[in-house]
């Protein structure tokens, strides 16, 4: 299986702090192909043998801005319990319409394929969110996600708004309010 040729921007690139534009429908073929290639890349990155062969860091999600396109699209490849089986999401023009009061954080810390360094600290995220979004054909959809998937959706939506997870960590107190959230 050949690794898709995608170039992920590093956090030093200023485009990552720009707000992405809404997508118009129908979505063009180039963007459709990029979405599917990116999902394939993410799935390959989560396979230890392939990741080692190509020197990849495992990734679960990617926003188009990380690929240099300021469009409100992100994809997620969520590996299920049975290895190498994935739930695939292509999310266009997302909007969070509700979220839980309960906050959670990733115990070992969030990561990002655009941030190529270790980062100390936690990012508060809602445990459950409901997102309104569109598919490639412009059909409006609603999805409720929880736990890891909710974190991934919030992380990618932040990208579309020009925010990196490192921007959400308090530099003076990287574990601020940890006792008021649940670790996952």
């Amino acid at each position: 299986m050949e690794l898709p040729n995608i170039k992920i921007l590093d956090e030093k690139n200023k485009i990552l702090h720009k707000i992405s534009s809404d997508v118009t429908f129908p979505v063009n073929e180039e963007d459709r192909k990029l979405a599917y290639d990116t999902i394939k890349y993410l799935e390959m990155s989560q396979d230890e043998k392939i990741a080692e062969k190509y020197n990849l860091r495992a990734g679960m999600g990617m926003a188009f801005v990380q690929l240099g396109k300021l469009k409100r699209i992100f994809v997620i490849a969520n590996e299920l319990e049975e290895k190498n089986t994935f739930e695939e999401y292509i999310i266009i023009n997302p909007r969070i319409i509700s979220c839980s009061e309960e906050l959670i954080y990733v115990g070992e810390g969030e990561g990002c394929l655009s941030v190529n360094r270790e980062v100390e600290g936690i990012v508060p995220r809602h445990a459950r969110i409901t997102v309104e979004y569109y598919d490639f054909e412009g059909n409006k959809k609603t999805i409720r996600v929880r736990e890891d998937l909710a974190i991934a959706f919030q992380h990618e939506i932040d990208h579309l708004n020009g925010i990196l997870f490192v921007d959400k960590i308090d530099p003076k107190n990287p574990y601020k309010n940890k006792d008021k959230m649940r670790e996952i």
Side-chain angles (χ1 to χ4, degrees):
M1 192 185 309
E2 192 171 317
L3 186 70
N5 183 24
I6 63 170
K7 299 283 179 261
I8 303 167
L9 300 179
D10 184 78
E11 68 179 306
K12 294 174 189 79
N13 194 308
K14 289 182 177 17
I15 196 175
L16 291 172
H17 286 289
K18 293 188 184 298
I19 296 173
S20 295
S21 301
D22 278 345
V23 174
T24 53
F25 298 97
V27 174
N28 67 44
E29 281 308 311
E30 181 185 329
D31 288 343
R32 287 175 190 248
K33 181 179 181 333
L34 184 59
Y36 288 119
D37 282 353
T38 305
I39 285 174
K40 184 177 173 187
Y41 178 95
L42 292 169
E43 289 175 357
M44 290 174 77
S45 80
Q46 293 178 59
D47 180 304
E48 284 181 32
K49 285 187 178 126
I50 294 172
E52 192 176 318
K53 177 181 176 183
Y54 292 107
N55 192 28
L56 303 177
R57 287 174 43 229
M60 180 179 176
M62 183 95 60
F64 267 36
V65 64
Q66 292 175 271
L67 306 170
K69 288 183 164 252
L70 281 169
K71 295 184 175 187
R72 294 187 78 76
I73 301 176
F74 71 82
V75 301
I76 288 178
N78 182 33
E79 190 167 23
L80 300 173
E81 290 299 318
E82 56 188 84
K83 290 281 184 209
N84 294 319
T85 305
F86 294 88
E87 287 177 318
E88 298 173 344
Y89 300 90
I90 297 171
I91 307 293
I92 303 170
N93 298 340
R95 204 167 59 86
I96 296 174
I97 55 175
S98 72
C99 51
S100 65
E101 286 185 26
E102 181 188 15
L103 295 176
I104 59 177
Y105 67 92
V106 179
E108 67 267 13
E110 276 187 41
C112 178
L113 293 174
S114 289
V115 178
N116 296 301
R117 60 187 170 96
E118 288 294 315
V119 178
E120 284 289 313
I122 58 172
V123 181
R125 301 287 189 188
H126 296 281
R128 294 166 302 286
I129 61 170
T130 303
V131 176
E132 195 175 82
Y133 70 99
Y134 295 86
D135 65 14
F136 278 141
E137 309 314 318
N139 300 308
K140 188 186 278 191
K141 309 265 187 178
T142 304
I143 187 170
R144 182 126 173 107
V145 290
R146 53 185 302 132
E147 305 292 316
D148 292 3
L149 209 46
I151 288 173
F153 269 65
Q154 290 167 85
H155 178 109
E156 300 308 331
I157 289 169
D158 280 350
H159 272 303
L160 302 180
N161 294 322
I163 300 165
L164 296 175
F165 83 95
V166 294
D167 302 332
K168 294 191 152 211
I169 297 172
D170 185 329
K172 292 184 178 69
N173 184 1
Y175 296 94
K176 185 178 182 177
N177 296 326
K178 179 179 178 177
D179 56 333
K180 296 180 177 138
M181 295 175 258
R182 179 168 54 86
E183 179 180 339
I184 66 161

